[in-house]
Amino acid sequence: MSEARILDGKATALAIRTEVRSAAAKLEESGCRAGLAVVLVGEDPASHVYVRNKDRAASDAGLAVQTVRLGAATTQERLLQEVRTLAEDDAVHGILVQLPLPSHLDAAEVIEAIPPHKDVDGLTQSNVAALVTGRPGLRPCTPAGCIELLTRYEIGLEGKHVVVVGRSMLVGKPLAHLALAANATVTICHSRTQELEQHCRRADILVAAVGIPELIRGDWVQPGAVVLDVGINRAEDGRLVGDVDFEGASRIASAITPVPGGIGPMTIAMLLVNTLQSAALRCGMTAKDLGWGR
Ligand code: NAD
């Protein structure tokens, strides 16, 4: 029997998507249609599913979406050309290159070809520096989605001990910075961390972004803690599971995100938010002009 409150990322993301749709319609009335370009290279089945979901969500929200699909043998130069073309296209306000890229391609160089104001994944060096130094910029969608979910459930971060398990550039590191910016005390754990269990037990807010099915056991959770499970893994029996033992943790935590239906949908919602914000800025509109109530 689950006792923790379920942090419903699906419902929250739906609410955000409705807000984006209404703001995008206002933007369009002023002659500016927000545009998102998604670049997908190769045949990775999970990436195809993610791109389809992003494409659908963006279209539903009234954004103009184009998906550039390139074969697995695409050269670095060809990919850079595609990104540079999108960079110069005034109808495109956000560019997302779906990761991971096939191993012969240099993802870092491709990401740097995206102009920072169109970098809706928040991964360019310029946006990373903005995050670390507290300047405005586009923030990575998954960690931004984690913070947004907490905000909408009125779970404050100030003074809390946030333990982030995982230090990737996509999730763990930016999340740690966002939590710091919200005045949390932050511990970052990773593959070489000693006594992971003890660190987890000290978390008021525990975030798992590792990619190992149910690595975090229920009894590693401090009673009353909030658990955000970013992981999306296929268990041996075929179930989709997170990095946290959901059943065990939900008996001890005060609130927890499910997998699926937690951080995944929030990631897509934040991609729409970033694209809309990027478009609004380019078209000289403010959030207030768009009735964007945040
Ligand atoms: P990654 O492989 O880039 O990073 C994994 C991190 O986990 C590394 O920093 C590593 O040090 C750490 N780690 C590995 N083994 C560990 C261990 N035994 N103990 C502690 N730390 C360990 O992965 P990522 O891109 O950050 O993604 C992590 C997970 O989140 C994956 O399951 C991925 O599918 C999922 N993900 C979900 C979303 C979403 O929208 N919900 C978005 C991005 C990633």
Side-chain angles (χ1 to χ4, degrees):
M1 240 315 249
S2 157
E3 288 173 16
R5 181 179 190 190
I6 301 298
L7 303 176
D8 188 341
K10 197 172 169 191
T12 307
L14 211 59
I16 295 170
R17 286 165 59 171
T18 304
E19 293 167 16
V20 169
R21 189 182 307 124
S22 134
K26 285 210 178 75
L27 191 62
E28 202 172 345
E29 277 166 23
S30 75
C32 179
R33 183 153 190 226
L36 171 68
V38 181
V39 181
L40 174 61
V41 186
E43 306 306 332
D44 177 49
S47 291
H48 276 258
V49 173
Y50 293 144
V51 166
R52 209 168 36 243
N53 290 342
K54 288 170 187 175
D55 189 317
R56 193 174 301 147
S59 302
D60 282 354
L63 311 190
V65 198
Q66 52 171 304
T67 303
V68 178
R69 290 190 169 78
L70 300 169
T74 300
T75 63
Q76 181 79 4
E77 201 40 52
R78 171 79 208 289
L79 178 55
L80 285 171
Q81 260 172 27
E82 288 290 345
V83 173
R84 287 180 190 133
T85 302
L86 295 169
E88 283 166 17
D89 186 341
D90 288 340
V92 172
H93 304 99
I95 302 171
L96 179 144
V97 176
Q98 182 66 39
L99 300 175
L101 290 173
S103 58
H104 67 283
L105 296 170
D106 177 354
E109 189 187 22
V110 174
I111 286 164
E112 285 311 309
I114 303 172
H117 64 275
K118 294 191 180 187
D119 168 30
V120 282
D121 238 353
L123 295 177
T124 56
Q125 289 185 22
S126 167
N127 278 319
V128 172
L131 167 62
V132 174
T133 56
R135 282 182 289 118
L138 291 163
R139 307 302 192 217
C141 301
T142 302
C146 292
I147 301 291
E148 187 67 25
L149 189 62
L150 292 175
T151 304
R152 294 201 178 221
Y153 275 92
E154 298 181 344
I155 298 171
L157 284 139
E158 183 157 325
K160 300 278 177 62
H161 183 200
V162 174
V163 175
V164 182
V165 189
R167 59 173 164 180
S168 72
M169 290 304 296
L170 200 61
V171 190
K173 277 185 195 162
L175 182 58
H177 282 288
L178 287 172
L180 261 184
N183 295 321
T185 301
V186 179
T187 298
I188 306 177
C189 300
H190 49 80
S191 54
R192 307 292 173 87
T193 295
Q194 310 262 313
E195 299 180 341
L196 178 63
E197 181 180 335
Q198 300 309 327
H199 289 289
C200 292
R201 286 212 167 100
R202 286 193 284 271
D204 300 315
I205 300 176
L206 178 60
V207 187
V210 180
I212 299 179
E214 300 174 333
L215 169 76
I216 313 261
R217 308 309 307 162
D219 62 0
W220 296 12
V221 173
Q222 174 172 217
V226 172
V227 178
L228 302 184
D229 191 352
V230 178
I232 304 175
N233 314 288
R234 193 62 71 181
E236 280 176 10
D237 60 8
R239 281 178 310 135
L240 208 57
V241 298
D243 292 341
V244 179
D245 159 27
F246 180 84
E247 280 311 311
S250 56
R251 281 194 285 271
I252 297 169
S254 62
I256 188 166
T257 59
V259 178
I263 302 302
M266 290 299 294
T267 297
I268 296 181
M270 298 318 286
L271 171 66
L272 307 185
V273 168
N274 278 353
T275 306
L276 185 81
Q277 284 180 346
S278 174
L281 207 63
R282 282 284 127 180
C283 301
M285 308 271 287
T286 63
K288 207 172 154 206
D289 295 332
L290 299 175
W292 186 254
R294 300 178 316 132

